Amino acid sequence: MILVEETTLADGALPVAELRAYLRLGTGFDLADDGDENRALAGFLRAAMATIEGRTGKVLLRRDYRLVLQDWRDPCGQPLPMAPVGRVDAVQIEAADGSLRTLPPESWRLVEDVMRPLIRPRGAALPDVPDGGSAVIRFTAGFADEWALVPADLAQAVLMLAARYYEDRGQEAGRALPMGVSALIERWRAVRVLAGRGAR
């Protein structure tokens, strides 16, 4: 399985102002409001978001993805590895020679689910993936386009973790999440399943 994030979030989409306010409240630091400091805070936020999204399988701010599979995990219903999924732009079969065949939208449907979205065939099964070929799914996942609309517990977990990264910068960071962060994301965690039978 290959999962490619095809959208790059601009620094302006990240809650830099919220993190600045959180750091002042939590630590009393007087942060300089300048470009270098804001870029550093954006970096800590990106790292924190990546950790939270990796632990939960939930995308906080909407982005486009491309999923490449050697074969369907289940031809009666292919799970998508990130959620929530609001749109699937294309389901394609790539032959060994690199040629792509786009499946007609009427041959499949998206089963929207905040924990485990699926692509289901409208017929008996999704079409066979040829030897040496792959299935390609292009989709958009995420809770919102704006930080204010991200679920409050996940947003708070990101700020808490980014603050920890900020305070621990220059030190050897441990791998364990802070207890408060783990508690906030617990309800969003789901048993992760492989997105395909093969791996690339």
Side-chain angles (χ1 to χ4, degrees), residues 41-106:
L41 294 179
F44 294 125
L45 283 165
R46 289 183 190 278
M49 284 181 60
T51 299
I52 298 301
E53 291 179 343
R55 295 291 181 100
T56 62
K58 306 300 176 291
V59 181
L60 304 184
L61 293 173
R62 285 193 188 103
R63 275 111 74 201
D64 296 331
Y65 291 87
R66 174 168 46 92
L67 177 65
V68 182
L69 306 163
Q70 283 186 317
D71 200 357
W72 308 114
R73 181 175 185 272
D74 182 346
C76 294
Q78 172 62 48
L80 296 174
M82 305 301 287
V85 173
R87 187 180 76 236
V88 174
D89 293 313
V91 180
Q92 300 171 307
I93 301 296
E94 183 176 6
D97 64 4
S99 59
L100 280 173
R101 173 170 62 95
T102 299
L103 303 184
E106 59 270 17

